[in-house]
Amino acid sequence: DTGVSQDPRHKITKRGQNVTFRCDPISEHNRLYWYRQTLGQGPEFLTYFQNEAQLEKSRLLSDRFSAERPKGSFSTLEIQRTEQGDSAMYLCASSRGGGRETQYFGPGTRLLVL
Amino acid sequence: GESVGLHLPTLSVQEGDNSIINCAYSNSASDYFIWYKQESGKGPQFIIDIRSNMDKRQGQRVTVLLNKTVKHLSLQIAATQPGDSAVYFCAEAGSGAGSYQLTFGKGTKLSVIP
């Protein structure tokens, strides 16, 4: 158990709907990351936060995606107007924040867009 | 662009034998590498990491070797057990200043034959 929790674990939605995922990092971890993983592939970086500041965003993060970490603790990832291509596992990770270091992953939220 | 990849997509070993999983990376400026284990339906689990100022690092039943000359990384698992069956990913931490994203390879599926 890495201590990172994600909710929900599974989400089925219809194309065009909005979805929101939540991530609770390990306590006192300053950095929080979002990744996306499709079947048979390794995770792909989406974005990361240092406390409440969003410092890096991937080109994968289209304008339909938005992430927040308002109080520097939990984070939410929202996808608007979902498309079938958004179907994937969305992974959250956290780290202490002291340079390049181990990122601990949560169990992920599996999204299926019909 | 820079990439991290794996030589073999699948590996089958007998229980009790040693396993070696290989990984090639292309970014010569990479300075931090991590091996993760991912079981079906779960998030990646940290196994071991190594920084570029080291050639070898040992953990419990696992050893990571780094050859910077040929940009090659390997994970050795001693006395492989059925519980080691999973997909293994190597990941590279971004080498740019202030960049902390991980770049993952496609993964190697390890199957342990009882």
Side-chain angles (χ1 to χ4, degrees):
Chain A
D1 183 10
T2 64
V4 178
S5 61
Q6 293 186 245
D7 184 71
R9 294 292 309 278
H10 304 274
K11 179 70 176 179
I12 300 174
T13 191
K14 293 182 179 179
R15 188 175 51 187
Q17 297 295 304
N18 299 343
V19 294
T20 301
F21 309 140
R22 175 178 170 127
C23 170
D24 287 87
I26 294 172
S27 180
E28 298 180 354
H29 275 193
N30 294 324
R31 291 203 189 118
L32 185 149
Y33 312 79
W34 285 99
Y35 291 82
R36 182 178 72 182
Q37 185 177 27
T38 54
L39 281 175
Q41 303 294 319
E44 296 173 292
F45 171 79
L46 292 177
T47 189
Y48 96 93
F49 293 83
Q50 174 83 33
N51 299 313
E52 67 276 7
Q54 188 174 17
L55 297 184
E56 195 170 358
K57 291 195 287 187
S58 163
R59 284 172 289 181
L60 293 175
L61 210 67
S62 76
D63 55 7
R64 295 186 298 106
F65 288 68
S66 62
E68 294 182 343
R69 195 183 183 198
K71 298 181 180 179
S73 55
F74 74 91
S75 175
T76 57
L77 177 67
E78 181 183 17
I79 308 174
Q80 296 181 326
R81 305 181 302 282
T82 53
E83 301 173 356
Q84 288 184 325
D86 297 332
S87 296
M89 173 82 89
Y90 289 84
L91 293 161
C92 176
S94 70
S95 67
R96 291 186 183 277
R100 292 197 232 292
E101 57 190 355
T102 303
Q103 294 179 22
Y104 296 93
F105 283 82
T109 294
R110 184 167 292 283
L111 172 66
L112 177 61
V113 181
L114 302 177
Chain B
E2 303 295 351
S3 64
V4 176
L6 298 175
H7 292 305
L8 299 173
T10 60
L11 178 65
S12 294
V13 297
Q14 288 288 143
E15 180 179 357
D17 288 350
N18 296 336
S19 303
I20 299 176
I21 301 172
N22 296 303
C23 175
Y25 64 94
S26 57
N27 184 356
S28 56
S30 299
D31 58 6
Y32 182 53
F33 305 88
I34 310 173
W35 281 101
Y36 285 94
K37 171 187 179 183
Q38 188 173 28
E39 297 173 286
S40 181
K42 297 183 178 180
Q45 176 187 354
F46 170 80
I47 301 173
I48 192 167
D49 60 0
I50 188 167
R51 298 192 184 274
S52 59
N53 60 353
M54 302 172 69
D55 297 322
K56 178 180 180 179
R57 191 166 189 216
Q58 289 184 293
Q60 189 175 18
R61 282 201 308 117
V62 294
T63 300
V64 55
L65 299 177
L66 175 63
N67 185 331
K68 296 180 285 294
T69 302
V70 295
K71 292 184 285 188
H72 183 267
L73 195 68
S74 68
L75 176 70
Q76 300 178 1
I77 304 174
T80 312
Q81 303 169 358
D84 295 327
S85 294
V87 177
Y88 289 81
F89 293 97
C90 65
E92 162 206 9
S95 56
S99 176
Y100 302 104
Q101 64 175 274
L102 293 178
T103 301
F104 285 78
K106 291 187 70 173
T108 292
K109 182 176 181 180
L110 176 65
S111 296
V112 181
I113 304 167

